[in-house]
Amino acid sequence: MGKIDPTSPVPKYFQLRGILLDLIEDAELPVDAPIPSERELCQRFGLSRMTVRQAVDHLVTEGRLYRVPGKGTFVARPKIEMPLRLVSFTEDMRARGLEPGARDLDHRTTNANVTLARVFDIPVGTGVHVIERLRTADGEPMAVERSQIPATVAPDLLDIPLGDVSLYDVLEKRFGVVFDAGEQTIEAGLADSADARLLDLPRGSAVLLLQRRSFMNGKCVELAVSTYRADRYQLRGALEIPRRGRPAPRQ
Ligand code: 16G
């Protein structure tokens, strides 16, 4: 186990954070295991209570630990990496060995306003299906997804129960919709009271707000506006090396 180096310029709380993270990563502290009490950590590393609390608070904020009032502090599950590919929720969860689920919150057909008409390249007033679902993984709420699809693309889509089924699967098998391109924006946000309740989070918790446009043959066919739990998802992307400013290869 690591030690605190009193001569290091790295603050002691940050060193302890690193030691605890190593224990989590090496699975010496597995998921849902309690971490040693504040008193034990103070004794073991010769630190003040304030320093220990600062390290633990940091890890709680980062989503690596969670507190249960009256019980202690435990190791959190690792976050899920948000796919930066055009995959369905169902496909993504299955690939991780988790059971995908969907609860139908609301579905209706509305008339396209100017914005939607522009997005879908359809006349204002044309029907657009709106499907709101709570997405779950192994029964745990993960996201609220609100998909909008022009009715011309999938006329009787709302006659199909969209509870525990894959929307993309239905679109492909029943309506021949196969997406061939997509774009997505991701922003930080705070859960409003409705989403917080659905996602089982305290109101005002951090969430990720996503907007996805999925295309077929150059036309947008789905506009999804979704709220994902920030305590369960993280983003990872490959970094491209910019061409300019790259050092010339050595001769
Ligand atoms: C993804 C999509 C969503 C789509 C859903 C279909 C986002 C950010 N992404 O979660 O647009 O409706 O997959 O999943 O919302 P399904 O085929 O499992 O129903």
Side-chain angles (χ1 to χ4, degrees):
M1 191 186 301
K3 279 205 170 98
I4 302 291
D5 175 359
T7 63
S8 164
V10 178
K12 288 184 184 148
Y13 86 89
F14 210 74
Q15 293 188 48
L16 178 60
R17 170 191 170 273
I19 294 172
L20 292 172
L21 271 182
D22 283 348
L23 294 175
I24 295 172
E25 272 169 22
D26 296 345
E28 276 180 55
L29 282 175
V31 171
D32 290 331
I35 64 160
S37 69
E38 264 183 24
R39 188 146 38 92
E40 276 174 78
L41 289 172
C42 291
Q43 277 170 3
R44 202 183 297 173
F45 295 101
L47 295 171
S48 73
R49 228 175 163 111
M50 214 174 77
T51 306
V52 166
R53 197 163 297 160
Q54 205 178 353
V56 172
D57 281 352
H58 222 276
L59 290 166
V60 170
T61 313
E62 289 174 71
R64 304 304 302 258
L65 298 175
Y66 64 94
R67 287 200 171 95
V68 180
K71 294 228 164 101
T73 307
F74 302 83
V75 177
R77 274 161 307 161
K79 291 187 183 181
I80 291 180
E81 268 173 29
M82 181 162 284
L84 297 175
R85 291 168 294 122
L86 186 50
V87 286
S88 74
F89 185 88
T90 302
E91 242 180 298
D92 183 43
M93 288 303 134
R94 291 215 172 113
R96 299 171 196 279
L98 300 170
E99 187 51 39
R103 199 174 97 208
D104 186 4
L105 299 173
D106 191 16
H107 56 266
R108 57 190 183 275
T109 305
T110 57
N111 298 323
N113 57 18
V114 176
T115 311
L116 283 183
R118 199 172 300 138
V119 169
F120 293 126
D121 192 18
I122 53 175
V124 173
T126 318
V128 174
H129 298 314
V130 182
I131 298 152
E132 298 189 13
R133 296 180 302 161
L134 175 69
R135 307 311 306 261
T136 58
D138 282 349
E140 184 194 7
M142 303 298 279
V144 180
E145 290 186 341
R146 299 178 176 92
S147 293
Q148 302 177 85
I149 295 164
T152 42
V153 170
D156 52 0
L157 177 63
L158 300 192
D159 295 345
I160 301 163
L162 293 168
D164 260 329
V165 296
S166 162
L167 176 63
Y168 281 7
D169 214 38
V170 171
L171 285 174
E172 181 172 343
K173 299 209 169 106
R174 290 281 291 263
F175 303 101
V177 173
V178 181
F179 296 117
D180 51 26
E183 58 178 47
Q184 191 160 282
T185 59
I186 304 173
E187 287 174 71
L190 301 176
D192 61 23
S193 52
D195 281 355
R197 203 172 327 113
L198 289 164
L199 294 171
D200 212 1
L201 294 172
R203 185 174 162 193
S205 298
V207 287
L208 295 169
L209 304 173
L210 282 83
Q211 266 214 41
R212 177 187 284 198
R213 290 177 193 212
S214 313
F215 298 84
M216 182 173 71
N217 302 328
K219 274 208 160 194
C220 180
V221 172
E222 185 204 25
L223 170 66
V225 180
S226 308
T227 306
Y228 276 64
R229 286 176 62 158
D231 62 334
R232 299 295 294 120
Y233 277 93
Q234 66 181 12
L235 291 162
R236 185 214 283 257
L239 298 181
E240 284 175 16
I241 307 287
R243 288 208 169 273
R244 269 182 307 126
R246 209 173 179 178
R250 281 200 198 168
Q251 296 297 322

